[in-house]
Amino acid sequence: QVQLVESGGGLVQPGGSLRLSCAASRIIFRFAAMGWYRQAPGKQRELVAHITSSNLTNYADSVKGRFTISKDNANNTVCLQMNSLKTEDTAVYYCHALFATMNYWGQGTQVTVSS
């Protein structure tokens, strides 16, 4: 069964904004630690932002002050608001959840920052 579904990726110019959404199963959303990872071509997948079930957050240094992770409890979604985007942010972004020792991954959504 599909647990996580990302949406919101696309093409944006440097300095622009984009908002990613990750729809989760109710039980996953309620109890899991969730986050966003990204993987650029030729690069290792890296953690971008993370939010716990108690709403503690942390961010990669490269995105601090530009990205914000949040939850929409009514819709069981985790969002990543990305502002002041740079070309270096270009990657496939993956929603992730850690629940009951299991790792769940979305299919990924492409974010391309280019002029």
Side-chain angles (χ1 to χ4, degrees), residues 33-54:
M34 302 189 68
W36 289 93
Y37 287 72
R38 67 186 181 188
Q39 187 167 22
K43 301 290 186 179
Q44 191 168 299
R45 188 173 297 186
E46 64 175 348
L47 176 66
V48 176
H50 176 265
I51 186 165
T52 70
S53 59
S54 58

mmCIF file of all heavy atoms in Angstrom, residues 33-54:
data_model
loop_
_atom_site.group_PDB
_atom_site.id
_atom_site.type_symbol
_atom_site.label_atom_id
_atom_site.label_comp_id
_atom_site.label_asym_id
_atom_site.label_seq_id
_atom_site.Cartn_x
_atom_site.Cartn_y
_atom_site.Cartn_z
ATOM 1 N N ALA A 33 8.153 9.930 12.729
ATOM 2 C CA ALA A 33 9.013 11.061 12.437
ATOM 3 C C ALA A 33 9.098 11.181 10.918
ATOM 4 O O ALA A 33 9.309 10.180 10.230
ATOM 5 C CB ALA A 33 10.394 10.855 13.032
ATOM 6 N N MET A 34 8.923 12.372 10.404
ATOM 7 C CA MET A 34 8.853 12.551 8.964
ATOM 8 C C MET A 34 9.843 13.612 8.505
ATOM 9 O O MET A 34 10.242 14.484 9.278
ATOM 10 C CB MET A 34 7.439 12.929 8.532
ATOM 11 C CG MET A 34 6.400 11.907 8.940
ATOM 12 S SD MET A 34 4.769 12.215 8.223
ATOM 13 C CE MET A 34 5.120 11.886 6.490
ATOM 14 N N GLY A 35 10.209 13.512 7.256
ATOM 15 C CA GLY A 35 11.150 14.477 6.731
ATOM 16 C C GLY A 35 11.206 14.472 5.224
ATOM 17 O O GLY A 35 10.546 13.685 4.543
ATOM 18 N N TRP A 36 12.011 15.384 4.731
ATOM 19 C CA TRP A 36 12.284 15.500 3.311
ATOM 20 C C TRP A 36 13.763 15.266 3.061
ATOM 21 O O TRP A 36 14.620 15.837 3.742
ATOM 22 C CB TRP A 36 11.896 16.880 2.783
ATOM 23 C CG TRP A 36 10.416 17.103 2.711
ATOM 24 C CD1 TRP A 36 9.612 17.662 3.648
ATOM 25 C CD2 TRP A 36 9.572 16.769 1.600
ATOM 26 N NE1 TRP A 36 8.314 17.702 3.213
ATOM 27 C CE2 TRP A 36 8.258 17.160 1.953
ATOM 28 C CE3 TRP A 36 9.796 16.189 0.354
ATOM 29 C CZ2 TRP A 36 7.172 16.976 1.097
ATOM 30 C CZ3 TRP A 36 8.722 16.008 -0.499
ATOM 31 C CH2 TRP A 36 7.433 16.401 -0.117
ATOM 32 N N TYR A 37 14.036 14.432 2.098
ATOM 33 C CA TYR A 37 15.379 14.199 1.607
ATOM 34 C C TYR A 37 15.455 14.644 0.163
ATOM 35 O O TYR A 37 14.434 14.801 -0.507
ATOM 36 C CB TYR A 37 15.747 12.715 1.692
ATOM 37 C CG TYR A 37 16.010 12.198 3.084
ATOM 38 C CD1 TYR A 37 14.970 12.019 3.994
ATOM 39 C CD2 TYR A 37 17.297 11.857 3.493
ATOM 40 C CE1 TYR A 37 15.202 11.527 5.270
ATOM 41 C CE2 TYR A 37 17.540 11.362 4.764
ATOM 42 C CZ TYR A 37 16.488 11.198 5.642
ATOM 43 O OH TYR A 37 16.737 10.700 6.906
ATOM 44 N N ARG A 38 16.666 14.824 -0.317
ATOM 45 C CA ARG A 38 16.831 15.142 -1.724
ATOM 46 C C ARG A 38 18.070 14.449 -2.263
ATOM 47 O O ARG A 38 19.008 14.156 -1.533
ATOM 48 C CB ARG A 38 16.921 16.651 -1.961
ATOM 49 C CG ARG A 38 18.164 17.323 -1.401
ATOM 50 C CD ARG A 38 18.078 18.830 -1.571
ATOM 51 N NE ARG A 38 19.249 19.515 -1.064
ATOM 52 C CZ ARG A 38 19.371 20.826 -0.956
ATOM 53 N NH1 ARG A 38 18.361 21.619 -1.338
ATOM 54 N NH2 ARG A 38 20.481 21.364 -0.486
ATOM 55 N N GLN A 39 18.044 14.206 -3.547
ATOM 56 C CA GLN A 39 19.172 13.570 -4.207
ATOM 57 C C GLN A 39 19.381 14.205 -5.573
ATOM 58 O O GLN A 39 18.508 14.145 -6.436
ATOM 59 C CB GLN A 39 18.952 12.065 -4.353
ATOM 60 C CG GLN A 39 20.168 11.326 -4.876
ATOM 61 C CD GLN A 39 20.045 9.824 -4.710
ATOM 62 O OE1 GLN A 39 18.946 9.285 -4.592
ATOM 63 N NE2 GLN A 39 21.173 9.140 -4.697
ATOM 64 N N ALA A 40 20.533 14.815 -5.733
ATOM 65 C CA ALA A 40 20.918 15.397 -7.004
ATOM 66 C C ALA A 40 21.708 14.367 -7.804
ATOM 67 O O ALA A 40 22.281 13.432 -7.237
ATOM 68 C CB ALA A 40 21.753 16.655 -6.777
ATOM 69 N N PRO A 41 21.757 14.517 -9.125
ATOM 70 C CA PRO A 41 22.516 13.572 -9.948
ATOM 71 C C PRO A 41 23.963 13.444 -9.488
ATOM 72 O O PRO A 41 24.644 14.450 -9.282
ATOM 73 C CB PRO A 41 22.431 14.174 -11.346
ATOM 74 C CG PRO A 41 21.158 14.961 -11.334
ATOM 75 C CD PRO A 41 21.076 15.534 -9.944
ATOM 76 N N GLY A 42 24.412 12.221 -9.306
ATOM 77 C CA GLY A 42 25.771 11.973 -8.886
ATOM 78 C C GLY A 42 26.041 12.227 -7.424
ATOM 79 O O GLY A 42 27.188 12.111 -6.977
ATOM 80 N N LYS A 43 25.009 12.576 -6.676
ATOM 81 C CA LYS A 43 25.168 12.877 -5.268
ATOM 82 C C LYS A 43 24.419 11.868 -4.405
ATOM 83 O O LYS A 43 23.474 11.218 -4.856
ATOM 84 C CB LYS A 43 24.643 14.285 -4.950
ATOM 85 C CG LYS A 43 25.322 15.409 -5.715
ATOM 86 C CD LYS A 43 26.751 15.619 -5.240
ATOM 87 C CE LYS A 43 27.364 16.833 -5.904
ATOM 88 N NZ LYS A 43 28.749 17.071 -5.427
ATOM 89 N N GLN A 44 24.853 11.767 -3.173
ATOM 90 C CA GLN A 44 24.185 10.908 -2.215
ATOM 91 C C GLN A 44 22.925 11.589 -1.690
ATOM 92 O O GLN A 44 22.875 12.813 -1.565
ATOM 93 C CB GLN A 44 25.143 10.582 -1.069
ATOM 94 C CG GLN A 44 24.680 9.485 -0.138
ATOM 95 C CD GLN A 44 25.797 9.016 0.772
ATOM 96 O OE1 GLN A 44 26.820 8.531 0.307
ATOM 97 N NE2 GLN A 44 25.591 9.169 2.076
ATOM 98 N N ARG A 45 21.930 10.796 -1.387
ATOM 99 C CA ARG A 45 20.715 11.351 -0.828
ATOM 100 C C ARG A 45 21.007 11.985 0.529
ATOM 101 O O ARG A 45 21.709 11.403 1.358
ATOM 102 C CB ARG A 45 19.652 10.262 -0.686
ATOM 103 C CG ARG A 45 18.283 10.781 -0.289
ATOM 104 C CD ARG A 45 17.229 9.679 -0.331
ATOM 105 N NE ARG A 45 17.061 9.146 -1.685
ATOM 106 C CZ ARG A 45 16.135 8.260 -2.017
ATOM 107 N NH1 ARG A 45 15.281 7.802 -1.105
ATOM 108 N NH2 ARG A 45 16.063 7.818 -3.264
ATOM 109 N N GLU A 46 20.473 13.176 0.758
ATOM 110 C CA GLU A 46 20.740 13.902 1.978
ATOM 111 C C GLU A 46 19.453 14.380 2.632
ATOM 112 O O GLU A 46 18.463 14.666 1.967
ATOM 113 C CB GLU A 46 21.648 15.108 1.702
ATOM 114 C CG GLU A 46 21.024 16.163 0.798
ATOM 115 C CD GLU A 46 21.889 17.406 0.643
ATOM 116 O OE1 GLU A 46 22.861 17.565 1.407
ATOM 117 O OE2 GLU A 46 21.590 18.222 -0.248
ATOM 118 N N LEU A 47 19.507 14.481 3.940
ATOM 119 C CA LEU A 47 18.380 15.007 4.698
ATOM 120 C C LEU A 47 18.289 16.512 4.502
ATOM 121 O O LEU A 47 19.284 17.226 4.644
ATOM 122 C CB LEU A 47 18.539 14.682 6.177
ATOM 123 C CG LEU A 47 17.469 15.256 7.118
ATOM 124 C CD1 LEU A 47 16.112 14.617 6.838
ATOM 125 C CD2 LEU A 47 17.859 15.044 8.575
ATOM 126 N N VAL A 48 17.099 16.986 4.193
ATOM 127 C CA VAL A 48 16.851 18.409 4.021
ATOM 128 C C VAL A 48 16.196 18.997 5.264
ATOM 129 O O VAL A 48 16.635 20.015 5.798
ATOM 130 C CB VAL A 48 15.968 18.676 2.790
ATOM 131 C CG1 VAL A 48 15.631 20.159 2.674
ATOM 132 C CG2 VAL A 48 16.655 18.173 1.530
ATOM 133 N N ALA A 49 15.133 18.367 5.720
ATOM 134 C CA ALA A 49 14.393 18.843 6.875
ATOM 135 C C ALA A 49 13.680 17.675 7.527
ATOM 136 O O ALA A 49 13.327 16.708 6.861
ATOM 137 C CB ALA A 49 13.389 19.929 6.484
ATOM 138 N N HIS A 50 13.445 17.807 8.809
ATOM 139 C CA HIS A 50 12.877 16.718 9.589
ATOM 140 C C HIS A 50 11.918 17.284 10.619
ATOM 141 O O HIS A 50 12.157 18.365 11.172
ATOM 142 C CB HIS A 50 14.018 15.954 10.277
ATOM 143 C CG HIS A 50 13.593 14.858 11.202
ATOM 144 N ND1 HIS A 50 13.458 15.051 12.554
ATOM 145 C CD2 HIS A 50 13.296 13.556 10.961
ATOM 146 C CE1 HIS A 50 13.086 13.917 13.114
ATOM 147 N NE2 HIS A 50 12.984 12.998 12.168
ATOM 148 N N ILE A 51 10.837 16.568 10.868
ATOM 149 C CA ILE A 51 9.889 16.974 11.894
ATOM 150 C C ILE A 51 9.418 15.730 12.635
ATOM 151 O O ILE A 51 9.068 14.722 12.032
ATOM 152 C CB ILE A 51 8.708 17.775 11.302
ATOM 153 C CG1 ILE A 51 7.809 18.324 12.415
ATOM 154 C CG2 ILE A 51 7.912 16.940 10.301
ATOM 155 C CD1 ILE A 51 6.846 19.401 11.920
ATOM 156 N N THR A 52 9.423 15.804 13.960
ATOM 157 C CA THR A 52 9.033 14.667 14.775
ATOM 158 C C THR A 52 7.534 14.677 15.030
ATOM 159 O O THR A 52 6.829 15.627 14.706
ATOM 160 C CB THR A 52 9.773 14.666 16.113
ATOM 161 O OG1 THR A 52 9.293 15.741 16.927
ATOM 162 C CG2 THR A 52 11.275 14.812 15.915
ATOM 163 N N SER A 53 7.059 13.608 15.643
ATOM 164 C CA SER A 53 5.644 13.530 15.992
ATOM 165 C C SER A 53 5.252 14.591 17.013
ATOM 166 O O SER A 53 4.072 14.934 17.113
ATOM 167 C CB SER A 53 5.307 12.141 16.527
ATOM 168 O OG SER A 53 6.089 11.830 17.668
ATOM 169 N N SER A 54 6.228 15.108 17.744
ATOM 170 C CA SER A 54 5.981 16.186 18.689
ATOM 171 C C SER A 54 6.325 17.559 18.105
ATOM 172 O O SER A 54 6.408 18.542 18.832
ATOM 173 C CB SER A 54 6.763 15.958 19.982
ATOM 174 O OG SER A 54 8.150 15.858 19.729
#
